[in-house]
Amino acid sequence: MNLSDTKAKLSFSNGSPDINLPVYKGSIGPDVLDIRKLYGQTGVFTYDPGFMSTAACESTITYIDGDKGELLYRGYPIEQLAEKCDYLDTCYLLLRGELPNATQRADFHKLVLQHTMVHEQMQFFLRGFRRDAHPMAVLTGLAGAMSAFYHDSIDIHNAQHREIAATRLIAKMPTLVAMAHKYGKGEPYMYPQNHLSYAGNFLHMMFGTPCEPYKVNPVLEKAMDRFFILHADHEQNASTSTVRLCGSSGTNPFAAIAAGVACLWGPAHGGANEAALNMLEDIQAMGGVAKVGEFVAKVKEKNSTVRLMGFGHRVYKNYDPRAKLMQKTCNEVLAELGLEKDPLFALAKALEKIALEDDYFVQRKLYPNVDFYSGIVQRAIGIPVKLFTGIFALARTVGWIAQLNEMIADPDYKIGRPRQLYVGPVRRNVP
Ligand code: ACO
């Protein structure tokens, strides 16, 4: 780590001696105070629930400037990756640090697309679930179950195992998501077709049936691929931090990814795309665009528990760059499907306009996040609302695994073990 020119000194009012804290600088972004020796030197902990001011690791993968609304994967702006690369190029970049050259690209695409099939026994495992189970409950189970099916790649301390597990996870998640969908619908599973693109194959497994040939629509294929790119990684968000913490105990990669899937499910995180679409449908049922003002007023009420889903972000205090790209994709998909007059899209635009002009949202720097438009895109493609977060999990798997592998490959990594401020009863005796 590079020391910054800034010096930091911590003083106490109780007569304890001052201590100097090292300050490190990254390649961009805020400096960090190194407090690792704080407890040993002073006997105090820092207190930061929700990690509002805490960097939990050093990373070279993703950078976000929340004030500017900038997102970089390995230094490349998300806008350029979305225009010039496909999802598997992005996976290669996140996992290996550089974009692939032509040979590396062909080899990587072939490698991933050859691993798309899952163990045949997986479908019998799936049968244990109720047909109406939420796909995220199913997917958490399936991701964890992979460790029971692929024993030969579960040693997290073995670099080769980590690489095989990464390939398997990226290749098989679309198959598992599509299987969860087909199981819920009571339709036969569709085996992957490895001549198709990653996104095209996913659409085929989701919407194809054995009864007739399925033709991949290139506009929807591109939209799906873009969705995957935009969701591929997002530095130390809740699910990624969960994967890192889980993996820090030395557990196997499949178990750590299952923990990430479980965390992503929550409506404050990946579940927000499902919640945003449900919210739009509720407003539509109330009367549509005419009721937007009433809904916004409800959100703004003091002590209101109603939030404008798909708005706000812990890091972005400006327009989420992914939301802009998703809005463009939304226009393309709706035009392709002849749904330009889609009432939910019109509603989303009206809601966005009011919120962007309203003092409540402006003062709190609440802007649309990626989930605001992604639900409309997925719904137009024909994806059921309950599956939205599962598709997010599919796309984020590469980020989770890249972050996990980065942590494990660091010789200095330690098991994650936060401390606490205990405010419960002091020692007492049972009467
Ligand atoms: N609607 C209305 N008010 C909001 C919203 C919202 N979506 N988000 C934040 N606020 C308000 C809060 O009420 C609070 O107001 P106050 O200061 O008057 O109490 C203020 O803005 C700050 O909110 P916090 O909850 O403290 O901000 P935090 O950084 O903890 O939350 C979060 C970020 C969870 C994303 C929040 O904005 C939210 O709940 N958004 C809706 C859910 C959502 O879209 N999540 C997706 C995130 S992106 C992703 O995971 C891919």
Side-chain angles (χ1 to χ4, degrees), residues 147 150-165 168 250-254 405 408 413:
S147 45
Y150 302 103
H151 309 130
D152 56 343
S153 54
I154 59 172
D155 178 2
I156 209 163
H157 297 296
N158 178 321
Q160 211 188 349
H161 279 214
R162 292 202 298 272
E163 191 167 331
I164 298 171
R168 284 183 167 151
T251 192
N252 72 76
F254 304 109
N405 287 353
I408 302 292
Y413 98 89

Side-chain angles (χ1 to χ4, degrees), residues 229-276:
I229 294 175
L230 300 185
H231 289 79
D233 194 47
H234 214 227
E235 54 118 308
Q236 309 311 319
N237 57 84
S239 56
T240 302
S241 301
T242 300
V243 169
R244 278 186 178 255
L245 188 59
C246 185
S248 78
S249 72
T251 192
N252 72 76
F254 304 109
I257 298 302
V261 176
C263 177
L264 190 74
W265 191 358
H269 192 11
N273 53 17
E274 180 176 343

Side-chain angles (χ1 to χ4, degrees), residues 117-393:
M117 204 161 69
V118 297
H119 195 291
E120 196 66 2
Q121 195 67 17
M122 271 284 201
Q123 56 174 285
F124 303 110
F125 176 75
L126 231 161
R127 269 197 209 162
F129 289 99
R130 283 171 57 136
R131 295 259 178 198
D132 61 354
H134 194 287
M136 285 303 276
V138 175
L139 212 54
T140 312
L142 291 182
M146 281 179 79
S147 45
F149 286 95
Y150 302 103
H151 309 130
D152 56 343
S153 54
I154 59 172
D155 178 2
I156 209 163
H157 297 296
N158 178 321
Q160 211 188 349
H161 279 214
R162 292 202 298 272
E163 191 167 331
I164 298 171
T167 308
R168 284 183 167 151
L169 277 157
I170 295 164
K172 296 182 198 305
M173 278 298 266
T175 314
L176 295 178
V177 172
M179 283 173 81
H181 168 62
K182 290 289 192 187
Y183 181 72
K185 270 191 107 179
E187 283 185 6
Y189 305 125
M190 293 298 285
Y191 285 101
Q193 291 287 324
N194 295 349
H195 67 276
L196 295 172
S197 72
Y198 187 87
N201 189 32
F202 178 62
L203 291 172
H204 150 78
M205 291 187 291
M206 282 286 298
F207 301 115
T209 69
C211 312
E212 48 193 66
Y214 177 77
K215 198 166 171 315
V216 177
N217 176 321
V219 175
L220 306 191
E221 181 182 20
K222 186 173 157 230
M224 211 64 249
D225 193 76
R226 177 166 288 177
F227 177 96
F228 294 157
I229 294 175
L230 300 185
H231 289 79
D233 194 47
H234 214 227
E235 54 118 308
Q236 309 311 319
N237 57 84
S239 56
T240 302
S241 301
T242 300
V243 169
R244 278 186 178 255
L245 188 59
C246 185
S248 78
S249 72
T251 192
N252 72 76
F254 304 109
I257 298 302
V261 176
C263 177
L264 190 74
W265 191 358
H269 192 11
N273 53 17
E274 180 176 343
L277 212 271
N278 288 336
M279 174 192 76
L280 291 175
E281 282 178 342
D282 287 348
I283 304 173
Q284 188 60 22
M286 277 160 57
V289 175
K291 293 287 176 182
V292 164
E294 199 179 301
F295 180 79
V296 170
K298 210 186 292 170
V299 170
K300 287 162 41 180
E301 266 168 28
K302 210 169 160 46
N303 303 325
S304 169
T305 51
V306 184
R307 287 203 163 189
L308 184 47
M309 300 311 285
F311 255 71
H313 197 275
R314 171 60 62 78
V315 182
Y316 292 118
K317 301 302 168 198
N318 201 329
Y319 214 100
D320 177 342
R322 302 167 302 168
K324 279 188 196 150
L325 292 158
M326 196 45 82
Q327 192 191 38
K328 185 166 171 253
T329 303
C330 194
N331 280 320
E332 288 164 8
V333 167
L334 296 179
E336 171 67 12
L337 300 175
L339 297 172
E340 294 97 327
K341 297 213 163 65
D342 180 63
L344 288 200
F345 189 52
L347 185 56
K349 280 188 161 163
L351 204 52
E352 180 183 357
K353 187 168 183 307
I354 291 192
L356 289 177
E357 288 165 359
D358 190 296
D359 255 10
Y360 175 95
F361 295 91
V362 174
Q363 274 169 17
R364 290 169 180 76
K365 299 189 177 166
L366 300 170
Y367 291 87
N369 60 50
V370 66
D371 292 321
F372 196 64
Y373 284 106
S374 71
I376 301 174
V377 173
Q378 293 185 81
R379 175 174 158 275
I381 291 176
I383 295 165
V385 177
K386 267 167 73 173
L387 203 68
F388 288 1
T389 317
I391 295 177
F392 185 167

